């Protein structure tokens, strides 16, 4: 229980320090922020001592969020509520062309990015110095990360043709890595 | 750089709108499901609770019940009592019964509402294969949303401790959205990744095996989730008691939580005992015994291949089933935050528009018709009127239709909030009238009433805001 209490106190101290120095003028701020973040990271040690490494990692990740929200609450500014009156209009339905374009983006982001993610990961995980089961675990953890990143990259580019070409290129890399594997 | 922020915001908006409604339902149901064990106990409170039951009594009841071939299915289960769920249950793949303190057969399990909530979270009540993949895809796209969210707000770190409530609706919603999402981003990322696992695990194992393995998906799945022993035994009573008794020697520091009988009623049948390992996130270590209770082997989830350990940890990490009630509270808070982030994201997009239309009404309905629909479904299920899934969707659709009918999102939101207050209060009262009071039912019903009060305060705030003159 001592380590658990220490973990909460160290996290709270770290968050409090970050909160106090956040948004202040640079003089002396950087060092304090580094110390604050170090305390937050150091709380992981106390969590691990209290609950074991695995539970400790999850505690360290989640308790800091809740304490930071409490710190945010100390900086709440209440204002008189007011609503902006907005004119009511009928829904502007997309034209067939716009719908088709959105459909294309949907197919790319959901379908193509999913397929390319699997291809790229299949090509790369096999090169990890680990067993087949660990490769599969890496594939499972990697899929949402790579898919999410690709979806973001494609949408940021906003160019259908270039996105498809880039995804095709990535797939080719994945296929080559698979063939070499 | 400004162009990157602008495009990232576009990407964030596009992804957010694509999965908004599904994400909201998944997050809300997931937040409630963190307390699945408590909700299951609350839904059927008149069941004998116990901290332990002797192996002999469990075994005797199991063999008596499943001696009837009509009740047998390929897999049969004994769910052992734990701190969070102090009940013993015998189950087939279709039915489930609780055991009394003396080991005799008790009431049949009735958890239609909790099961409805589970199915909403796992499958969105769609056909299971499609539903779980859709939900998992939302997990992957949530990763994209987290990345695009950070990349689309140049002031997101500078304003990390700023919260402006009241005032301009768009600003308030943006602050709530950003503060909740930024500080919980590591946790939400973890939930997104582990959530995506459930729908794609088998597909990915199969694809990996087709690419690099022996093109034998069953063997590949066995290599991850454990293989079954090859047995040929004369049929007779299953010695679950012998298997459980040996656990104290085989794994003295582990706690058995479940017994699964595989291939029940065949010469290949065997007993598998699942035991939790202290301070580990793996679901369990699994010990296999033959039908006579002779120990065969363990699966190695606790000390085997690292990949096996990682994969077998996904469930507990995703649902917060470890470390007791404090972890549940943390997961509940962080899950609620993600639910609010899902709702406020679309609120921001709607508030930014210079006009309003039916989409404002629709979103108010999607967000605020869900809690009363869940509560009404619980009341109807408790009263034995109609199926939980149908009750939920009928109530939900009526709520959304009513919101569209008002043609005024603030009115719709306020009305549905008051309906939520009434339905939560009604649920707590109905439950208290139907069932005997216990510590757990008092806590759950008290939480329902507290929720009703919080939403009443929100609704009163919304009422005040709507009567203030525009500035």
């Amino acid at each position: 229980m001592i380590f658990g209490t220490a973990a909460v106190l160290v996290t709270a101290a770290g968050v409090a320090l970050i909160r106090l120095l956040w948004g202040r003028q640079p003089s002396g701020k950087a060092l304090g922020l580094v110390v604050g973040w170090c305390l937050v990271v150091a709380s992981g040690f106390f969590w691990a001592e209290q609950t074991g490494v695995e539970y400790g990692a999850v505690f360290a990740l989640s308790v800091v969020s809740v304490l930071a929200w409490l710190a945010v609450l100390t900086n709440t500014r209440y204002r008189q509520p007011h609503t902006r009156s907005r004119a009511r209009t009928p829904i502007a339905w997309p034209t067939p062309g716009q719908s088709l374009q959105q459909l294309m983006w949907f197919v790319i982001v959901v379908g193509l990015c999913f397929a390319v993610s699997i291809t790229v990961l299949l090509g790369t995980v096999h090169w990890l110095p680990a067993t087949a089961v660990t490769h599969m675990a890496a594939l499972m953890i990697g899929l949402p990360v790579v898919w999410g990143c690709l979806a973001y990259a494609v949408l940021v580019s906003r160019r259908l043709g270039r996105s498809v070409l880039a995804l095709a290129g990535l797939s080719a890399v994945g296929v080559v890595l698979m063939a070499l594997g | 750089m400004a162009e990157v922020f602008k495009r990232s915001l576009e990407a964030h908006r596009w992804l957010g709108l694509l999965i908004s409604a599904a994400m909201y339902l998944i997050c809300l149901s997931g937040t409630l499901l963190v307390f699945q064990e408590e909700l299951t106990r609350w839904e059927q409170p008149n069941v004998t609770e116990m901290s332990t039951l002797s192996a002999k009594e469990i075994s005797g009841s199991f063999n008596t019940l499943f001696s009837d071939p009509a009740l047998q299915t390929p897999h049969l289960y004994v769910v052992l009592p734990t701190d969070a769920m102090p009940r013993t249950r015998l189950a087939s793949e279709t039915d489930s019964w609780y055991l009394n303190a003396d080991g005799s057969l008790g009431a049949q399990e009735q958890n239609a509402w909790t099961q409805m909530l589970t199915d909403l979270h796992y499958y969105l009540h769609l056909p299971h294969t499609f539903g779980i993949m859709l939900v998992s895809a939302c997990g992957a796209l949530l990763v994209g949303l987290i990345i695009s969210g950070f990349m689309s707000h140049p002031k997101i770190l500078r304003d990390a401790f700023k919260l402006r409530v009241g005032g301009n609706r768009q600003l308030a919603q943006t602050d709530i959205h950003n503060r909740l999402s930024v500080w919980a981003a590591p946790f939400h990322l973890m939930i997104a990744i582990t959530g995506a696992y459930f729908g794609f695990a088998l597909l990915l194992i199969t694809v990996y095996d087709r690419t690099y393995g022996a093109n034998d998906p069953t063997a590949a799945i066995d290599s991850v989730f454990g293989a079954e022993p090859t047995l040929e035994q004369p049929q007779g009573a299953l010695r679950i008691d012998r298997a459980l008794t040996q656990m104290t020697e085989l794994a003295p520091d582990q706690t058995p939580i479940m017994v699964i009988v595989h291939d029940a009623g065949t010469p290949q049948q065997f007993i598998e005992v699942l035991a939790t390992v202290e301070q580990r996130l793996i679901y369990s270590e699994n010990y296999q015994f033959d039908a006579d209770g002779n120990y065969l082997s363990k699966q190695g989830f606790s000390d085997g291949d690292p990949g096996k350990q990682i994969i077998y940890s996904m469930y507990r990490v995703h649902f917060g089933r470890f470390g007791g009630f404090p972890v549940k509270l943390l997961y509940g808070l962080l899950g609620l935050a993600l639910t609010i982030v899902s709702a406020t994201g679309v609120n921001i997009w709607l508030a930014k528009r210079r006009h309003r239309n039916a989409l404002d009404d629709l979103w108010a309905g999607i967000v605020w018709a869900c809690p009363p629909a869940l509560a009404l479904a619980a009341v109807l299920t408790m009263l034995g009127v109609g199926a939980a899934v149908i009750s939920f969707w009928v109530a939900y659709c009526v709520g959304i239709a009513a919101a569209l009918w008002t043609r005024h999102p603030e009115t719709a939101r306020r009305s549905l909030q008051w309906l939520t207050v009434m339905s939560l209060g009604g649920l707590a009262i109905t439950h208290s009238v139907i069932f005997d009071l216990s510590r757990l039912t008092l806590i759950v019903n008290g939480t329902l009433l507290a929720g009703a009060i919080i939403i009443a305060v929100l609704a009163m705030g919304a009422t005040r805001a709507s009567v203030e003159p525009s500035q």
Side-chain angles (χ1 to χ4, degrees), chain B residues 119-438:
Chain B
D119 289 345
L120 180 63
H121 184 69
Y122 275 72
Y123 317 110
L124 288 169
H125 293 155
L126 294 165
H128 286 190
T129 308
F130 174 71
I132 201 164
M133 284 199 167
L134 181 68
V135 171
S136 296
C138 286
L141 295 180
L142 177 59
V143 175
L145 272 169
I146 292 169
I147 296 165
S148 59
F150 271 100
M151 293 302 293
S152 61
H153 300 99
K155 296 177 186 170
I156 203 155
L157 292 177
R158 202 189 74 186
D159 291 347
F161 287 102
K162 201 179 272 184
L163 182 62
R164 291 156 292 187
V165 291
N168 177 293
R169 178 170 163 76
Q170 184 192 324
L171 193 65
Q173 294 286 311
T174 306
D175 272 5
I176 293 169
H177 181 83
N178 291 350
R179 293 308 87 77
L180 289 178
S181 55
V182 164
W183 285 111
F187 177 84
H188 292 159
L189 199 58
M190 185 175 79
I191 293 297
I193 292 169
T194 50
Y197 154 82
F198 294 101
F200 298 122
L202 292 182
L203 174 79
L204 292 175
I205 291 171
T206 308
V207 170
Y208 183 89
D209 179 61
R210 289 262 155 87
T211 312
Y212 298 114
N215 206 1
D216 181 0
T218 311
I221 290 167
D222 284 351
S223 71
V224 177
F225 296 106
E228 298 191 349
T230 311
L231 299 169
E232 200 67 42
Q233 313 148 100
Q235 288 191 45
L238 281 151
R239 293 299 306 274
I240 291 173
D241 53 334
R242 277 196 70 200
L244 283 172
T245 309
Q246 287 176 76
M247 285 301 294
T248 49
E249 290 163 23
L250 287 169
D253 51 350
Q254 297 176 18
T255 314
I257 52 165
M258 193 188 288
V259 179
I260 304 177
V261 175
H262 297 261
D263 304 322
T266 69
Q268 294 81 39
Q269 66 182 350
F270 69 97
I271 301 164
E272 191 167 36
V273 178
L274 282 62
T276 52
V277 185
E278 189 77 8
Q279 298 194 339
R280 295 294 309 275
L281 288 168
I282 53 163
Y283 184 75
S284 61
E285 179 56 273
N286 297 7
Y287 297 82
Q288 296 179 335
F289 302 83
D290 67 15
D292 208 28
N294 297 309
Y295 174 65
L296 300 171
S297 63
K298 74 169 184 174
Q299 293 284 18
F301 292 122
S302 59
D303 54 6
D305 195 296
K308 213 169 173 175
Q309 298 185 44
I310 291 169
I311 291 169
Y312 220 51
S313 299
M314 294 285 192
Y315 177 84
R316 289 196 189 277
V317 173
H318 186 79
F319 287 101
R321 296 284 159 75
F322 62 93
F325 202 71
V327 174
K328 288 189 175 187
L329 276 180
L330 267 177
Y331 267 65
L333 271 175
L334 291 155
L336 183 64
L338 192 53
T339 311
I340 296 171
V341 168
S342 308
T344 50
V346 180
N347 286 348
I348 295 166
W349 176 72
L350 290 169
K352 270 185 182 172
R353 303 183 313 162
R354 292 186 178 169
H355 58 277
R356 63 188 171 89
N357 56 24
L359 289 178
D360 295 73
D361 314 326
L362 179 69
W363 185 244
I366 287 172
V367 171
W368 284 106
C370 192
L374 286 171
L376 285 171
V379 171
L380 293 175
T381 309
M382 225 175 278
L383 296 171
V385 185
V389 175
I390 294 169
S391 307
F392 167 71
W393 281 105
V394 168
Y396 195 28
C397 290
V398 168
I400 292 171
L404 284 167
W405 180 74
T406 60
R407 293 173 59 82
H408 194 269
E410 281 79 25
T411 308
R413 191 165 53 239
R414 208 166 50 241
S415 308
L416 288 168
Q417 282 172 342
W418 282 117
L419 186 62
T420 306
V421 172
M422 286 186 286
S423 54
L424 288 179
L427 178 57
I429 292 166
T430 310
H431 191 277
S432 305
V433 169
I434 294 177
F435 299 109
D436 298 333
L437 287 179
S438 68

Side-chain angles (χ1 to χ4, degrees), chain B residues 75-98:
Chain B
H75 293 92
L76 301 172
Y77 308 87
V78 181
V79 183
L80 301 167
T82 59
D83 289 342
M85 192 67 170
R87 298 175 176 187
T88 309
R89 190 161 54 87
L90 303 181
S92 69
E93 289 170 18
T94 51
D95 297 295
S96 182
W97 299 263
Y98 288 109

Side-chain angles (χ1 to χ4, degrees), chain A residues 22 54 88 102 122 131 134, chain B residues 14 157 212 281 305 351 361:
Chain A
W22 205 268
E54 295 184 9
R88 190 174 178 90
Q102 293 302 324
L122 270 176
T131 61
T134 304
Chain B
W14 195 92
L157 292 177
Y212 298 114
L281 288 168
D305 195 296
D361 314 326

Side-chain angles (χ1 to χ4, degrees), chain A residues 80-93:
Chain A
Q80 192 70 3
H82 64 89
T83 47
R84 183 164 52 103
S85 58
R86 295 177 297 156
R88 190 174 178 90
T89 59
I91 291 179
W93 296 104

